[in-house]
Amino acid sequence: GLGLGIAGLSALALKDKDTPKEEPENEGELTKLLKEDPAAEVVVVDATSSSPESKMESVGMQLREAVTAIRTVVKSPFVQILFAASALRFCAGYGIGVWKAPFYRQAFPTYTNEFSVANAFVISAGGVLSSVLGGLIADKFAPSNPKVRLWVPAIGS
């Protein structure tokens, strides 16, 4: 239900893969140099022989590049929709998991043992079965349509 609806909305919101890609705002210096001259030789400096200041600069540059990469990924409408869908799915699963046992205990007080066994069986067998069957279905249809690997878990949730 909800997973399928969110997957459908995300499919409508996504850009076509032929759309030009956005360049990150702050590329690392090495990335800029390699774009300008792909044949350039890259010299790796041994961090153990450099001064503490240059080590800190190197760590700072790596941190800036990591933050820029994270910002670039999070700006993607697909990732934003994926995070929202994951949050909703988590909340639904958590709500069911927390309130299922107290509900059954109150509604069927004489069947608590049966509920425990049935609940454990459904969760474990259902989880294994859905993972294996979902993977088999996705692998079977993915060669003809790679988007199947996204739709199978969306429909299953």
Side-chain angles (χ1 to χ4, degrees), residues 85-100:
S86 298
L88 289 173
R89 177 68 178 97
F90 175 78
C91 289
Y94 187 73
I96 291 168
V98 167
W99 292 108
K100 182 174 41 175

Side-chain angles (χ1 to χ4, degrees), residues 46-100:
D46 183 12
T48 58
S49 65
S50 58
S51 69
E53 292 82 17
S54 65
K55 285 182 185 179
M56 289 303 293
E57 288 176 16
S58 174
V59 170
M61 188 169 72
Q62 290 175 349
L63 184 60
R64 280 191 299 276
E65 287 182 1
V67 169
T68 301
I70 291 169
R71 284 183 180 156
T72 302
V73 169
V74 173
K75 284 181 184 178
S76 165
F78 175 75
V79 172
Q80 293 171 355
I81 292 170
L82 181 64
F83 282 169
S86 298
L88 289 173
R89 177 68 178 97
F90 175 78
C91 289
Y94 187 73
I96 291 168
V98 167
W99 292 108
K100 182 174 41 175

Side-chain angles (χ1 to χ4, degrees), residues 8 17-18 21 24 27 34 40 50 54 56 58 69 84 90 127 131 133 138:
K17 60 182 168 185
D18 296 330
K21 296 180 180 172
E27 291 183 350
L34 289 175
S50 58
S54 65
M56 289 303 293
S58 174
F90 175 78
S131 295
L133 287 178

Side-chain angles (χ1 to χ4, degrees), residues 8-146:
L9 287 174
S10 65
L12 294 174
L14 294 178
K15 294 180 181 178
D16 190 19
K17 60 182 168 185
D18 296 330
T19 308
K21 296 180 180 172
E22 296 178 22
E23 292 294 323
E25 294 171 9
N26 301 324
E27 291 183 350
E29 291 299 316
L30 181 59
T31 306
K32 286 181 187 176
L33 290 173
L34 289 175
K35 280 186 177 178
E36 291 172 8
D37 184 10
E41 287 188 35
V42 178
V43 177
V44 178
V45 178
D46 183 12
T48 58
S49 65
S50 58
S51 69
E53 292 82 17
S54 65
K55 285 182 185 179
M56 289 303 293
E57 288 176 16
S58 174
V59 170
M61 188 169 72
Q62 290 175 349
L63 184 60
R64 280 191 299 276
E65 287 182 1
V67 169
T68 301
I70 291 169
R71 284 183 180 156
T72 302
V73 169
V74 173
K75 284 181 184 178
S76 165
F78 175 75
V79 172
Q80 293 171 355
I81 292 170
L82 181 64
F83 282 169
S86 298
L88 289 173
R89 177 68 178 97
F90 175 78
C91 289
Y94 187 73
I96 291 168
V98 167
W99 292 108
K100 182 174 41 175
F103 168 76
Y104 275 100
R105 191 176 333 135
Q106 186 175 4
F108 308 104
T110 57
Y111 294 102
T112 55
N113 290 337
E114 289 84 353
F115 167 76
S116 299
V117 172
N119 185 47
F121 177 75
V122 167
I123 288 174
S124 59
V128 169
L129 195 61
S130 68
S131 295
V132 171
L133 287 178
L136 289 173
I137 291 169
D139 287 344
K140 180 178 180 180
F141 294 106
S144 61
N145 184 3

